[in-house]
C-alpha cells in the first residue's frame, strides 16, 4: 500500500508539472499533422526547446484554415496559423486577426520576401503529376484538347485549388474562361483538399492530379519508386509560398514568437523536404536531400503579388464555376 501511495504521488506530481507547461496551439492543414507529415517531428523538436506543449490542430487545407478563422474570429483558440499562402495573405490581413511578425531569416526563396505579418516556411511549384511511363500534355491547351483525366482541388477550400485558378489566369488572362471550358470534360472530380485528391490518383481514378513538381521526390526517396513524374508546362508553373503568422489575440505571444523563429531554423527547415515534400524557405546547412536534383525546374515562374491575387481571385473563381456548371 505504501508503494502504491508513493507511485500515486509521483503520478500526481508528474501531471501537475505537465499542467504547468504553457500550451501553444497551431492551426495547420491535415497533411502537416499526419503521421507522415512534418507535424510529429516538429512537435518533438520544438517541445525539446520550449518547455511547452505544442498542440497542432489539422484543418483540411489552407483555404479552409482561413474560413475557420473567420468563423471563430477573436474567440479562436489558435495562437499561430501555419499553412496559408501568398494567394490568401491579403484576405487574411483583412480579418485584422494577425499580429506583426518579428521573424527575419536568410531566405533562399526564388523571390524577394518582405512582409511584416507573415513569414514563409516552404515553397514549391504547382504541377500535374502522372505516371512516368504515360505521355503528358505540354500545356493547358493540349490538356484541354485531349482525353487525359485529371483530379483537382476546390479553390474555395484548398490552396492548390486556388493556385490552379491563379495559374490559369496568369497564363491566359482574358482567355482563361476558354481554357476552363475545354478542361471541364477532363475533370473527374473536385476534392476539398490535396490529400483526398492525391489518394484518388494513386488508386487509379485519374491519369493526372494537381499537386507539385516535388511530389515525385516522395515516391523516389520514401518508396524507392521512380514511377511518378510532374508534367512540365510551357506556359510556366505557378509558385506557392506557404506562410505562418501569429494571432493578435494569442495569450502566448512570446511562445508564438519563439515558434515562428524556430520555424525558420535549420532544425525545422531540414524536416520540410522529406515530410512536407516542398522546398524549404531556408536551405538547410546539409543541403537538399538526394533525389531533389531529379525534379523538373520550370523554365518560367508565375506568381501574383498578394494584392494582385486578391484582385483577380473572384473573377477567376467565377470563370471556373461557370465552366464547370455547364
Amino acid at each position: 500500500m505504501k508503494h502504491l501511495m508513493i507511485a500515486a504521488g509521483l503520478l500526481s506530481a508528474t501531471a501537475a508539472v505537465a499542467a504547468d507547461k504553457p500550451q501553444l496551439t497551431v492551426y495547420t492543414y491535415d497533411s502537416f499533422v499526419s503521421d507522415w507529415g512534418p507535424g510529429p517531428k516538429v512537435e518533438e523538436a520544438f517541445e525539446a526547446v520550449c518547455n511547452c506543449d505544442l498542440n497542432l490542430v489539422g484543418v483540411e487545407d489552407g483555404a479552409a484554415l482561413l474560413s475557420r478563422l473567420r468563423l471563430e474570429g477573436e474567440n479562436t483558440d489558435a495562437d499561430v496559423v501555419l499553412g496559408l499562402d501568398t494567394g490568401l495573405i491579403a484576405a487574411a490581413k483583412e480579418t485584422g486577426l494577425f499580429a506583426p511578425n518579428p521573424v527575419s531569416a536568410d531566405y533562399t526563396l526564388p523571390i524577394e520576401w518582405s512582409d511584416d505579418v507573415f513569414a514563409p516556411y516552404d515553397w514549391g511549384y504547382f504541377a500535374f503529376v502522372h505516371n512516368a511511363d504515360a505521355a503528358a500534355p505540354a500545356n493547358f491547351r493540349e490538356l484541354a484538347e485531349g482525353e487525359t483525366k485529371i483530379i483537382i482541388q476546390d479553390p474555395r477550400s484548398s490552396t492548390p485549388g486556388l493556385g490552379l485558378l491563379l495559374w490559369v489566369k496568369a497564363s491566359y488572362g482574358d482567355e482563361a474562361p476558354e481554357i476552363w471550358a475545354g478542361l471541364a470534360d477532363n475533370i473527374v472530380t473536385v476534392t476539398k483538399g490535396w490529400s483526398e485528391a492525391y489518394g484518388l490518383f494513386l488508386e487509379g481514378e485519374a491519369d493526372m492530379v494537381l499537386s507539385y513538381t516535388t511530389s515525385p521526390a516522395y515516391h523516389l526517396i520514401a518508396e524507392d519508386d521512380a514511377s511518378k513524374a510532374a508534367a512540365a508546362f510551357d506556359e510556366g508553373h505557378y509558385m506557392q509560398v506557404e506562410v505562418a503568422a501569429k494571432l493578435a489575440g494569442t495569450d502566448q505571444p512570446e511562445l508564438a514568437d519563439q515558434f515562428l523563429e524556430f520555424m525558420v531554423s535549420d532544425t525545422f527547415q531540414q524536416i520540410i523536404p522529406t515530410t512536407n515534400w516542398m522546398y524549404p524557405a531556408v536551405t538547410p546547412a546539409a543541403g537538399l536531400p538526394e533525389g531533389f536534383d531529379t525534379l523538373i525546374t520550370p523554365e518560367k515562374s508565375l506568381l501574383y503579388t498578394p494584392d494582385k491575387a486578391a484582385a483577380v481571385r473572384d473573377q477567376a473563381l467565377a470563370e471556373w464555376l461557370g465552366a464547370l456548371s455547364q
Side-chain angles (χ1 to χ4, degrees), residues 60-124:
E60 288 183 353
D61 215 324
L65 272 176
L66 183 55
S67 296
R68 175 163 174 172
L69 282 173
R70 282 175 170 152
L71 285 172
E72 294 178 347
E74 295 180 357
N75 295 320
T76 183
D77 292 329
D79 300 299
V80 171
V81 168
L82 182 151
L84 305 183
D85 69 5
T86 45
L88 295 171
I89 282 178
K93 286 183 176 179
E94 286 177 0
T95 67
L97 295 173
F98 294 93
N101 191 332
V103 174
S104 61
D106 238 351
Y107 295 119
T108 50
L109 300 166
I111 58 170
E112 290 294 323
W113 186 263
S114 177
D115 194 282
D116 61 353
V117 174
F118 289 92
Y121 63 92
D122 69 14
W123 67 279

Side-chain angles (χ1 to χ4, degrees), residues 6-16:
I6 291 173
L10 288 172
L11 287 172
S12 298
T14 302

Side-chain angles (χ1 to χ4, degrees), residues 160-212:
L162 177 57
L164 178 59
L165 287 194
L166 299 177
W167 185 4
V168 172
K169 195 66 177 173
S171 299
Y172 290 96
D174 293 340
E175 297 180 18
E178 174 192 339
I179 298 298
W180 280 117
L183 290 173
D185 290 340
N186 301 86
I187 299 170
V188 173
T189 190
V190 179
T191 64
K192 278 191 172 183
W194 175 88
S195 296
E196 181 185 357
Y198 206 82
L200 289 172
F201 163 70
L202 293 179
E203 291 169 6
E205 296 298 321
D207 303 308
M208 303 174 76
V209 62
L210 176 65
S211 193
Y212 298 88

Side-chain angles (χ1 to χ4, degrees), residues 40 42 81 114 136 169 175 184 200 210 215 218 225 231 241 245 254 290 318:
V42 167
V81 168
S114 177
K169 195 66 177 173
E175 297 180 18
L200 289 172
L210 176 65
S215 297
Y218 163 75
D225 176 5
V241 181
E254 293 181 359
E290 185 178 349

Side-chain angles (χ1 to χ4, degrees), residues 108 265-273 279-289:
T108 50
S265 71
D266 200 71
T267 301
F268 183 106
Q269 290 291 298
Q270 68 182 349
I271 293 172
I272 289 296
Y279 292 105
V282 182
T283 302
L288 294 174

Side-chain angles (χ1 to χ4, degrees), residues 273-287:
T274 55
T275 56
N276 222 31
W277 303 100
M278 295 280 277
Y279 292 105
V282 182
T283 302

